[in-house]
Structures are given as C-alpha cells and as structure tokens.
Amino acid sequence: SGAVFHLIPPTSPALQRYLNMDLNYVASGPPVQSPQHNGTVVFLHGWPDNANLLWQHQIDDFEAAGYHCIRIFNPNTNRNVDAPTGVDFDTMADAIAAVIARPDVADGKVHIVAHDWGAVFAYTLAQRHPELINKMVTIDVGNHLGRLSLKATFMVLAYQWWLVAAFFWSFVPLIGSYIGSWMTQACAKYFGRAPFLGDWITGKINFPYFYFWRYKLLRFGGLGDTNKYRISHPIFYCWGNKKPFQFHSPKWLDLLKTSEHGCQYQGFKAGHWVMVDAAKEFNAAALAFLETK
C-alpha cells in the first residue's frame, strides 16, 4: 500500500504554543478499521535522521504483519522549519499524543518504536500519556545513563555542545544558518557517521540538545516528566554493541529485567543505528515482542 503524507494542523493545547509548527507524518500499511489491521505502530526518530529514510528497512515487514505504520517527522527535519526555536520534550510528547488521538491513526492504544532522541520522546510520552501506549521498542538510548568514563564524558560533552552552538548559530542573521548547517552536517558525517545525509540536516534540528542541557543546567522546563519516568509498559530495549560507549547503564537493564511488565532487552552486532545495521534481526525480534501476549 502507498504511503500518505499528512500535515497536522496545530489544534492541540501543546501545539497552540507553537502556532507556526505543523507536525508532519507519513502513514502506510493496512488502514485503521480494515480487516487486515493488526494495530498501529508509531515510529519516532532522533538526530540527525529523516523519518522516511530511517525506517525504510522496517516498513515492509511491519506492514506485512498487519500494522498501520505512522512515521513522525521531528520538527525542522522535513526540509522546512516547522518550529524555529524547536520544542521541549514535554511539548513534543503532547504533540505526538495529538497525532495518536486522530481516528485515522489509531482506534486504541499504539505500539511505539523509537530511536535516539525519539526514545526520550517515547519515555516522556509514556509518563504524560500512558493511556495511549500498548508496548514500546526503544533503541540505543535508555532512561538511565549512569556514569561514563572520562573519555566517553569528553566525547559526549564535545559533540553535544558543538551541536548546541550550531543551534545558536542558526539564529544569527545572514551567515548564521550556513555556519549552523555546516557544523551540524560535519558532526553527522564525521563524528556520528549517520547512515543518511541530506539537506534536512541544518542547525535547527539540534533543538533536543539545547532543551536537554537547558534543563540539566537550569532545571527549567520540558524534561521533568522524563526524569520522573518509571517503567509502566512492556519495553523491548535494543542497543548496538559496536560503539565506543553506551547510552544506558547496567541499572537500566536491571530495571527492565526486574520489571513486572514483561520487559526484554537485547544487544545487536551493530552501531548506533541498529535498525539499519542489523535490520533483519531487529525486525524479527521487535515483531516477535509486539506479538507476545
């Protein structure tokens, strides 16, 4: 079945705060209310990705399993600036909830498949709108990071503050957008080694880093619900083993293991982009988890 592209008008309370932002998504697979419909899966991506490209190895398998697939674009990642200053995590979660509430998207609870910052959006969504979620598959970012080595700490601070600086450059008149985009594209290509590069990679897509560090340093806005997060849904957590450091801690794995919600976890022979590097293995494991009663 063909994919259908949607622009969501800013009608939810969260989006009323950002009247210039439309939350874009692509829908495909068996429509809601059709006999083949086996539920809805909402895909959330992170930095510096594009919703269409990132999940291209998953869509066929998930559609074949009967799932209506919703690929949501993060603000500013669909070759247009939806929200010039970005959005914080609580607002993003509320915006995702507004999409899920549409009758053509789901007729009940949905499954979430989320990578990178998308996983943080998913944990925030689960805290703020638990009634919307059935199961979650989160990839390569846990909700508890733990203590990093000195080298890993330096690497994280270096690239994240580089991207915060690129975000600020994007507001400077005349040359700022070019500098911010160059900084972001260089980081994506040479440090992140992102599998997909394109003209959507600008300084404006770095807003999650700004809002993350704003909260960490100032305890101001937009990440509080994530910090309060407690596992309340079945989670299948996946990560890549071929990385210099992990975005989860042993404590996070222990919380999953001892949870009463039937959580699972698995490492893959992959880098940060598990669903690209190990697509076949990931799809089989994720679909098996979603089908588990």
Side-chain angles (χ1 to χ4, degrees):
S1 58
V4 180
F5 186 81
H6 295 265
L7 298 176
I8 303 303
T11 55
S12 74
L15 296 190
Q16 288 292 342
R17 295 165 55 190
Y18 299 90
L19 292 179
N20 293 323
M21 186 182 83
D22 291 332
L23 196 58
N24 302 340
Y25 71 88
V26 174
S28 60
V32 177
Q33 305 297 343
S34 70
Q36 297 80 22
H37 183 245
N38 189 33
T40 295
V41 177
V42 175
F43 294 86
L44 306 176
H45 71 86
W47 181 93
D49 296 309
N50 173 287
N52 268 339
L53 294 174
L54 181 67
W55 304 109
Q56 62 181 297
H57 302 297
Q58 280 63 61
I59 296 303
D60 286 349
D61 286 350
F62 278 73
E63 288 181 358
Y67 290 111
H68 186 57
C69 298
I70 303 294
R71 287 163 278 170
I72 292 179
F73 288 86
N74 290 351
N76 306 333
T77 61
N78 192 34
R79 296 184 175 88
N80 61 303
V81 178
D82 307 304
T85 59
V87 292
D88 63 29
F89 294 88
D90 292 349
T91 302
M92 185 65 183
D94 291 346
I96 295 167
V99 173
I100 294 172
R102 290 174 59 93
D104 58 333
V105 167
D107 58 358
K109 295 183 178 182
V110 303
H111 300 307
I112 302 291
V113 177
H115 174 250
D116 191 73
W117 284 118
V120 183
F121 299 148
Y123 301 135
T124 311
L125 178 69
Q127 181 69 21
R128 294 175 69 82
H129 303 280
E131 74 283 356
L132 297 178
I133 298 175
N134 188 352
K135 295 182 179 182
M136 300 200 302
V137 178
T138 58
I139 308 164
D140 220 57
V141 173
N143 197 59
H144 189 277
L145 181 58
R147 184 171 297 177
L148 297 174
S149 68
L150 183 62
K151 178 181 178 181
T153 299
F154 174 78
M155 292 174 68
V156 169
L157 290 175
Y159 89 82
Q160 292 197 359
W161 277 95
W162 174 273
L163 294 174
V164 171
F167 179 67
F168 282 125
W169 266 111
S170 69
F171 295 97
V172 176
L174 299 179
I175 65 170
S177 62
Y178 297 101
I179 295 174
S181 295
W182 175 83
M183 292 175 67
T184 307
Q185 291 167 7
C187 187
K189 182 176 182 179
Y190 297 110
F191 181 82
R193 300 186 182 278
F196 307 108
L197 302 171
D199 58 4
W200 70 86
I201 300 178
T202 70
K204 294 292 188 184
I205 73 170
N206 300 325
F207 67 87
Y209 296 98
F210 166 71
Y211 286 103
F212 174 80
W213 282 105
R214 186 186 72 169
Y215 182 84
K216 286 297 183 183
L217 296 177
L218 304 177
R219 295 298 175 188
F220 172 64
L223 197 63
D225 286 309
T226 302
N227 284 347
K228 300 173 187 174
Y229 176 69
R230 297 293 183 271
I231 295 172
S232 56
H233 302 84
I235 297 175
F236 178 39
Y237 178 67
C238 313
W239 70 93
N241 287 317
K242 297 181 179 179
K243 294 171 52 187
F245 55 87
Q246 297 293 343
F247 287 110
H248 68 264
S249 66
K251 179 181 178 180
W252 172 242
L253 299 184
D254 187 60
L255 288 171
L256 293 170
K257 183 178 181 179
T258 58
S259 168
E260 62 183 13
H261 297 285
C263 297
Q264 301 176 21
Y265 57 81
Q266 181 178 342
F268 290 81
K269 293 181 179 179
H272 179 56
W273 284 269
V274 175
M275 60 289 197
V276 177
D277 297 341
K280 182 178 179 180
E281 295 82 0
F282 168 79
N283 291 355
L287 286 169
F289 174 74
L290 296 184
E291 292 298 322
T292 301
K293 302 300 182 183

